[in-house]
Amino acid sequence: MSTTGKIFAAWGNPRGVMRDQMNAGDIDGRALTFILIAGILLSIANLPNAMLQGGLTDDAASEPAAALIAARFFQVAIGALALALVGLLVAPLSHLVARAFGGVGSWATTRLALSWSLMTLVPLALLSGVLLAVGVASDTTWLVEASFLAGLAGQLVLLYVWSGSLAEAEGFSRTWPTMLIMAAIFIALYGILTLRILA
């Protein structure tokens, strides 16, 4: 099965696809490859949003379009590296939390679970970016709203696939406790960040 086929299969059966990923060998090499590819594609998916915030203009006095496009490609490269670094920090933390609940996986399988889960987010992130770009270019409100919904669906898919992949990587028999714990952590982090921003 192709990587694209595995991505869509993971949406329905994250544990089974993660099991296949672990059995394929070269766990660290594939984890690094997945997180770098996901970083590049997720950064590209974010370009329409970035261009809205400080983007291309038709003003002749503004920076040349070539300079802005070069800056966006630099942003893609930095985004890929940043995602890889964040992944290298988050994966061990998720492994330590899983260990506290009886997980028996390895550091490598936890890294693979995270990087593979990010790969499964890519199609919805790209769809969200395309909908946003088309919605803004055509001044179509419902496409912009659909972009938001596709992004929200992507976050839910990430939570579901990462929970299933982590449960498989750590040897848990059920996925839902892992999903509840991860959702609680995400909600707590979101709440903390929101309070810090509002304060």
Side-chain angles (χ1 to χ4, degrees):
M1 184 184 297
S2 68
T3 302
T4 306
K6 289 178 183 176
I7 286 173
F8 292 118
W11 292 3
N13 183 14
R15 292 188 71 132
V17 175
M18 182 61 190
R19 191 176 314 114
D20 293 342
Q21 292 289 345
M22 290 189 305
N23 292 335
D26 190 22
I27 290 175
D28 277 326
R30 282 182 307 105
L32 181 61
T33 302
F34 287 152
I35 204 162
L36 288 175
I37 291 171
I40 291 168
L41 294 175
L42 291 172
S43 295
I44 289 170
N46 190 45
L47 283 178
N49 189 32
M51 288 187 178
L52 277 177
Q53 294 176 359
L56 297 171
T57 64
D58 294 330
D59 184 10
S62 68
E63 292 185 53
L68 290 171
I69 291 170
R72 296 302 176 219
F73 281 115
F74 182 71
Q75 177 187 4
V76 168
I78 294 299
L81 291 175
L83 184 64
L85 290 175
V86 168
L88 290 175
L89 295 173
V90 171
L93 291 176
S94 65
H95 179 61
L96 292 174
V97 170
R99 273 243 165 114
F101 288 95
V104 294
S106 68
W107 300 101
T109 56
T110 305
R111 282 191 298 273
L112 180 61
L114 173 61
S115 61
W116 173 246
S117 300
L118 288 168
M119 279 291 289
T120 65
L121 170 64
V122 166
L124 286 170
L126 289 171
L127 175 64
S128 177
V130 167
L131 289 172
L132 181 62
V134 172
V136 169
S138 65
D139 198 25
T140 308
T141 306
W142 70 268
L143 284 174
V144 175
E145 292 169 356
S147 167
F148 171 77
L149 292 176
L152 181 62
Q155 293 174 19
L156 294 174
V157 164
L158 177 63
L159 176 64
Y160 175 68
V161 174
W162 190 17
S163 298
S165 298
L166 187 62
E168 185 65 30
E170 293 291 346
F172 294 131
S173 61
R174 295 176 299 188
T175 300
W176 68 266
T178 307
M179 189 181 308
L180 287 178
I181 291 168
M182 290 178 73
I185 291 171
F186 285 147
I187 290 169
L189 289 174
Y190 179 76
I192 290 169
L193 289 173
T194 302
L195 290 176
R196 297 280 292 177
I197 290 170
L198 296 176

